[in-house]
Amino acid sequence: MNKGYAVFCDADRHFYDAPHRMSADAHGGRNALYAAATRPVPEGWQRHRSGDWLALRPATSPLPAQGWKIHVSATLDNAESVLERVAEYCVPRGVAFKFVPSRYLLHTRNAKYADRSASGKFVTVYPADDEQCRTVATDLDALLAGEPGPYILSDLRWGRGPVHLRYGSFTRRHCYDERGELCPALENAEGVLVPDVRGPVFRTPEWVEFPEWLKPHLEARAEANVADLPYVFEKALHFSNGGGVYAGTDRRTGAKVVLKEARPYAGLAADGADAVARLRREQVALERLSGLGCTPEVLDSFVLGEHHFLVLEFVEGKPLNSFFARRHPLIEADPGPERLAEYTEWALRIHALVTDAVAAVHARGVVFNDLHLFNIMVSEDESSVVLLDFEAAAPAAENRRQTVANPAFVAPADRRGFDVDRYALACLRLALFIPLTSLFALDRGKSAHLAQIAARQFPVAESFLREAVEEICRDPQATPPASGNGPDAAKDTATTTVTAPAIATAPATEAAEPYLPVEPGDWPASRDSLAGAITASATPGRTDRLFPGDIAQFATAGGGQSFGYGAAGVLYALTESGAGRFAAGEEWLLARTKEPDSGTPLGFYDGLAGIAWTLERLGHRARALELAELALGQPWEALSPDLHSGLAGLGLALEGLAAATGEHTLHDAALRCADLLVRPNGGAPDGRAPRAGLLYGATGSALLFLRLYERTGDAALLDHATDALRRDLDRCVRSASGTLQVDEGWRTMPYLGAGSVGIGAVLDDHHVHRPDHDGPEGDFARARRDIVSAAQATFYAQPGLFRGAAGMVLHLSRTTTGGPGTGPADVRRQIDTLAWHAVPHQGRLAFPGEQMMRLSMDLATGSAGCLLALAAASGLPTVEDRPAQLPFLPPLRRPQNRPDTWAVQKEIVPSERKCHEHS
């Protein structure tokens, strides 16, 4: 789970949106602006709002490009007072500054899973030079003496107050870092722009002379150390903005321990409690639960510097979520009845163990408040469980709401006390079988749909699933649980039995009406429904984005226009699928690209190259050529080598534009991209091997080489494609079941974007030109077959094109590999799987985005990508008398005698489908 997504959920009920977009009166007025943000601009000053920040500066005094800048931190309670004093100091002296303008935005920046490098920064002050910086820091330290505020990890603290300093950029300048990615820039001693590194550690650029007046503060920073502690910190297990969790050893006994760290005023929960308060809650709760055996024992606590630590018993075992990768049968293409029955028995036994543990906690008068798959430790022999992470725990008598939660188990606002844990246990019932409970944030009615799917896939008692749905959808005010609110409440609703045969008929959890307005496989009705949902979501009045999509829209300038996450990709998918042109969207994109935002990346999926390519496809050639010229005027040769943001994507876009327009300079530039990619290590600027896969690995380079070979006939380009594909295949491993996946070190990935399926797609294109490259039993032939197997799992965690089931649909419907798993019925099974993730939105079909807490309409993560995959799978002509395609991956001539994928739909009676036919 990427916890950075949570903060983008507050501003909109259905879509990810930037936190600053939340209206001032939303959520009880939590985003109301501070008074300093609403006053008239001082005479001779100018004001500018940018995201979370509101900046004020003298109109006639330009800022230095870089230097020592001052950050002031604050708590939620003293922030407005701190801001008033800083503003009253800066305005008369003509010192520019910016600040976070509301309590809500300050809260999100200091929350538990906020960006650690930016957390704590409330006010930024821009001195004119080093001498003024020293004066301002001294004055502000005296002015704010005694005021609490979180320590800013990226900065050097001035004394013991809320004033901090770091050397960095003042103005918006960009360059490419060692990975070829666009980032904020500083000018080094030679006048060259280099990355302004912003991490959770204080550092000064090597060419900057450290001021003498700062050295005492640097020395004070090193005073606290762990040498005198009775514990050895051996390994960091986890970091959050509130602190770290470490594995360690007790020097005195040699026993393993866990050390939990809490930073004061940081890592805020929903109720404003900081990490120290939550650590204290955990200690109190665990001491009350001591001796249960299903909770860790408290061994010690201490304070080091300002940081608080809790020492806990080290619990052997593995978190419950890790068992999915090795136990869950739906990671296979066609699990048999015995495998499904075995897993069902295991899941029910685990749920019973967890239920007993929660009941034991309740019996001591404690509500866990944060039950989820990562907080349940299962013993190595799988005979017992231990509940971990009690920082959100509360006495049952207080009947509190939940303040910290995993998105897949977060209780509705109407649940309090034991009801919070009951809700989580109900979610666990479904998540053990179909782990998509994060969708309940969009629609709790989805629980009945998941229960139907689970009942059809597994031999689990219908009552076990029905009770979960009833609890999830229950109105606590209208229907209190029959067992009351006592300590045994968790157990009372959890008894069940295992039934051997699979449920063949619809369970009671099935609604009278279908959950979805249309099934994804009902083409073209699904196309029309998806297209309707996408166009209905458009917000042409906004300048930052047209269609709601991934949070990547807000990560870079022009993100809302991009091909991967913004308007360009959505407009392409609508047209390519046969849904038709969206004129209002094209007008919006033309208006926003007339003067592209400064700092817009150059890449295909994240920047100008993809937008230019799309506009040409839509008939807006003049603007497309303008953007291509603008991109080529930037330092594009420093780009990373990849397809997503780098040289491979730029080269493919330029070659596509050259072929369409006859512009030879664009073709020459595409060839230059290819030349750069044949440098050692695939063109990586820092000499390091890049990631593997279509979007970020050498496979993207191979795709450029292939398309240029087709244009020029230069056999050397085909050789380069072969070499590039081999590099990525060297990064792959075969699973126990024989599937080939990209090895990322800590996990393996099968997906179209950064996994093996993307490699397989380009291997298919390579096979067109070298069908006998290494024979039917060679490396490429075996890889293609084993990658096809990786695209046949029954369950994928997400629906998206690049990291989910839609990418598997596209690959299986396009591949020329042949053999088992590539027929129409196999494609159809994967199409049916998309229904597992889908939710209705305003009466139309829609899909969630990355992390599945909100819907997405973009191509990379959401509904537009699913639309494109379904259109490609249909095999029906849409534009240019050919089926739909992903850019640069045209349809291939598939083996003969394959019946039409969509015709298979009519041959399968839903009520008679067997388990594997629902994948």
Side-chain angles (χ1 to χ4, degrees):
M1 180 185 71
N2 184 330
K3 299 178 179 67
Y5 279 76
V7 71
F8 289 84
C9 292
D10 279 354
D12 192 279
R13 171 72 177 78
H14 302 288
F15 302 108
Y16 294 121
D17 209 345
H20 70 269
R21 297 285 308 188
M22 193 170 82
S23 65
D25 58 353
H27 301 277
R30 283 193 296 151
N31 203 28
L33 297 177
Y34 293 129
T38 61
R39 294 193 187 102
V41 180
E43 185 177 353
W45 284 63
Q46 59 186 21
R47 178 163 60 192
H48 174 68
R49 180 72 186 265
S50 178
D52 288 358
W53 294 98
L54 194 155
L56 287 165
R57 53 171 290 191
T60 58
S61 300
L63 287 177
Q66 61 195 53
W68 287 97
K69 54 186 173 182
I70 299 168
H71 289 120
V72 178
S73 66
T75 68
L76 297 179
D77 293 334
N78 72 349
E80 188 149 27
S81 171
V82 167
L83 174 58
E84 291 291 340
R85 280 175 277 174
V86 173
E88 288 171 2
Y89 176 88
C90 289
V91 171
R93 293 167 177 81
V95 180
F97 66 102
K98 68 179 182 180
F99 58 93
V100 177
S102 74
R103 178 186 177 94
Y104 167 74
L105 291 175
L106 180 61
H107 192 160
T108 63
R109 294 181 69 85
N110 289 341
K112 180 177 180 181
Y113 289 109
D115 179 6
R116 296 170 65 224
S117 64
S119 178
K121 298 174 183 177
F122 173 48
V123 183
T124 305
V125 180
Y126 298 100
D129 51 39
D130 283 10
E131 187 56 39
Q132 188 181 57
C133 181
R134 178 182 184 179
T135 299
V136 173
T138 302
D139 291 348
L140 289 180
D141 181 60
L143 190 64
L144 303 173
E147 291 289 354
Y151 187 96
I152 301 174
L153 296 175
S154 62
D155 288 25
L156 179 64
R157 190 173 196 170
W158 184 283
R160 302 189 65 80
V163 176
H164 303 72
L165 294 90
R166 74 175 288 267
Y167 191 94
S169 60
F170 284 20
T171 58
R172 293 182 64 178
R173 295 187 293 176
H174 296 86
C175 69
Y176 291 94
D177 63 17
E178 71 279 0
R179 297 172 296 180
E181 296 179 358
L182 200 65
C183 65
L186 289 169
E187 190 175 307
N188 67 12
E190 288 74 41
V192 177
L193 290 180
V194 297
D196 180 8
V197 179
R198 301 177 180 185
V201 176
F202 173 70
R203 67 182 75 194
T204 305
E206 59 184 15
W207 69 87
V208 173
E209 183 177 353
F210 197 84
E212 286 292 330
W213 46 270
L214 267 180
K215 288 182 178 178
H217 304 284
L218 185 64
E219 293 165 359
R221 188 172 182 270
E223 288 178 358
N225 64 78
V226 299
D228 297 330
L229 291 177
Y231 305 102
V232 178
F233 289 74
E234 295 178 340
K235 182 174 68 172
L237 302 176
H238 172 70
F239 281 112
S240 75
N241 189 36
V245 180
Y246 309 89
T249 302
D250 189 323
R251 300 177 192 270
R252 299 160 297 187
T253 64
K256 289 183 178 181
V257 295
V258 170
L259 301 107
K260 298 193 69 172
E261 174 191 29
R263 297 173 53 222
Y265 314 117
L268 304 182
D271 61 351
D274 70 356
V276 173
R278 289 186 284 105
L279 193 72
R280 178 58 182 163
R281 288 177 185 173
E282 179 162 20
Q283 181 173 355
V284 170
L286 289 177
E287 288 174 346
R288 186 170 182 173
L289 299 170
S290 179
L292 282 184
C294 60
T295 57
E297 295 293 326
V298 174
L299 304 177
D300 194 6
S301 62
F302 61 90
V303 179
L304 179 65
E306 299 177 7
H307 294 208
H308 294 238
F309 288 85
L310 184 63
V311 185
L312 301 175
E313 166 194 12
F314 187 93
V315 178
E316 300 285 354
K318 291 184 174 61
L320 180 54
N321 72 293
S322 70
F323 284 85
F324 280 91
R326 49 183 177 151
R327 267 199 175 273
H328 205 288
L330 298 190
I331 64 174
E332 302 171 10
D334 190 10
E338 291 184 1
R339 178 96 166 82
L340 293 164
E342 177 189 16
Y343 177 81
T344 299
E345 183 177 3
W346 177 86
L348 294 175
R349 182 169 58 81
I350 292 296
H351 190 274
L353 289 172
V354 175
T355 300
D356 288 343
V358 172
V361 170
H362 287 187
R364 295 278 182 98
V366 175
V367 181
F368 186 13
N369 265 333
D370 195 19
L371 179 71
H372 57 81
L373 296 171
F374 294 80
N375 280 356
I376 300 167
M377 188 70 76
V378 181
S379 64
E380 292 293 345
D381 64 3
E382 302 180 12
S383 65
S384 62
V385 298
V386 174
L387 307 180
L388 303 178
D389 203 356
F390 276 76
E391 65 180 39
E398 296 181 4
N399 205 36
R400 290 185 194 168
R401 285 177 52 181
Q402 197 171 31
T403 59
V404 175
N406 179 285
F409 289 79
V410 60
D414 58 15
R415 306 301 169 97
R416 295 175 177 270
F418 289 133
D419 270 358
V420 172
D421 289 347
R422 289 195 191 96
Y423 182 89
L425 283 168
C427 289
L428 183 61
R429 292 193 187 205
L430 298 180
L432 283 167
F433 295 99
I434 309 293
L436 298 175
T437 55
S438 56
L439 293 173
F440 300 166
L442 287 165
D443 179 16
R444 274 189 273 167
K446 181 69 178 179
S447 59
H449 191 218
L450 294 186
Q452 294 174 36
I453 296 166
R456 289 173 176 167
Q457 296 291 325
F458 295 92
V460 57
E462 181 267 341
S463 60
F464 181 81
L465 302 173
R466 184 187 65 245
E467 290 167 3
V469 174
E470 290 172 350
E471 175 58 36
I472 290 165
C473 297
R474 177 172 64 86
D475 178 359
Q477 301 302 317
T479 55
S483 56
N485 207 36
D488 294 328
K491 292 188 70 173
D492 289 346
T493 61
T495 53
T496 188
T497 58
V498 181
T499 55
I503 299 174
T505 58
T509 47
E510 187 162 5
E513 296 293 328
Y515 174 71
L516 296 175
V518 60
E519 292 292 321
D522 186 7
W523 190 269
S526 58
R527 177 198 65 197
D528 298 339
S529 188
L530 274 168
I534 291 168
T535 55
S537 73
T539 53
R542 289 179 59 159
T543 59
D544 59 338
R545 76 170 190 203
L546 175 62
F547 300 103
D550 191 68
I551 67 173
Q553 291 184 326
F554 309 106
T556 62
Q561 304 161 32
S562 67
F563 191 88
Y565 314 102
V570 176
L571 295 174
Y572 171 80
L574 289 170
T575 303
E576 191 74 3
S577 67
R581 300 276 288 271
F582 184 48
E586 293 179 32
E587 292 172 5
W588 184 92
L589 187 58
L590 287 169
R592 294 303 304 149
T593 54
K594 187 175 182 179
E595 295 183 10
D597 295 335
S598 174
T600 300
L602 306 183
F604 186 85
Y605 279 97
D606 67 347
L608 293 177
I611 299 169
W613 183 87
T614 303
L615 287 173
E616 202 290 323
R617 302 271 299 186
L618 295 173
H620 306 292
R621 180 166 294 179
R623 178 59 50 79
L625 292 175
E626 289 173 8
L627 294 180
E629 182 179 0
L630 179 62
L632 291 177
Q634 305 297 313
W636 58 272
E637 293 188 350
L639 287 172
S640 60
D642 61 73
L643 171 61
H644 183 274
S645 310
L647 289 168
L650 177 63
L652 283 162
L654 294 173
E655 181 57 27
L657 289 169
T661 65
E663 293 284 342
H664 293 294
T665 55
L666 300 179
H667 174 66
D668 292 342
L671 290 174
R672 176 57 179 158
C673 289
D675 288 341
L676 293 169
L677 290 171
V678 298
R679 295 178 300 189
N681 295 301
D686 64 348
R688 296 183 303 175
R691 295 162 59 185
L694 178 65
L695 292 185
Y696 304 104
T699 296
S701 300
L703 186 57
L704 174 61
F705 295 140
L706 286 171
R707 300 289 88 99
L708 286 173
Y709 165 72
E710 293 166 351
R711 181 84 183 274
T712 66
D714 183 353
L717 289 165
L718 196 51
D719 292 335
H720 293 321
T722 302
D723 293 341
L725 287 166
R726 285 201 179 281
R727 287 202 302 275
D728 267 7
L729 287 176
D730 286 344
R731 301 283 295 275
C732 295
V733 294
R734 281 182 172 80
S735 67
S737 59
T739 66
L740 193 68
Q741 302 189 28
V742 169
D743 183 6
E744 293 192 339
W746 62 285
R747 64 181 179 183
T748 60
M749 296 289 280
Y751 299 114
L752 179 64
S756 56
V757 165
I759 302 171
V762 181
L763 282 171
D764 286 340
D765 286 69
H766 181 273
H767 181 74
V768 171
H769 301 291
R770 286 186 170 167
D772 301 319
H773 169 66
D774 59 356
E777 296 305 319
D779 291 348
F780 280 20
R782 285 197 302 273
R784 292 173 70 210
R785 291 195 297 269
D786 294 345
I787 288 170
V788 162
S789 297
Q792 295 177 47
T794 307
F795 174 80
Y796 295 100
Q798 300 188 128
L801 183 63
F802 289 134
R803 281 172 52 88
M808 308 314 187
V809 170
L810 190 145
H811 181 59
L812 290 180
S813 64
R814 178 182 184 272
T815 184
T816 55
T817 300
T822 62
D826 303 295
V827 179
R828 182 69 204 184
R829 283 194 293 270
Q830 290 295 14
I831 290 171
D832 288 345
T833 298
L834 283 173
W836 298 12
H837 304 84
V839 294
H841 178 62
Q842 297 181 355
R844 301 180 179 97
L845 185 66
F847 288 94
E850 192 79 9
Q851 307 299 307
M852 297 196 304
M853 291 183 279
R854 291 292 185 268
L855 299 175
S856 169
M857 298 303 176
D858 70 30
L859 183 130
T861 73
S863 299
C866 294
L867 173 64
L868 184 66
L870 290 170
S874 76
L876 301 174
T878 54
V879 293
E880 300 175 1
D881 199 31
R882 58 158 176 77
Q885 67 178 63
L886 191 66
F888 319 119
L889 287 170
L892 300 172
R893 185 180 297 277
R894 292 175 43 91
Q896 298 301 313
N897 66 37
R898 289 189 180 182
D900 179 70
T901 297
W902 302 97
V904 176
Q905 179 183 11
K906 300 179 177 65
E907 300 169 8
I908 300 175
V909 180
S911 62
E912 296 176 354
R913 293 176 186 168
K914 296 182 180 178
C915 164
H916 69 277
E917 292 173 322
H918 281 270
S919 61

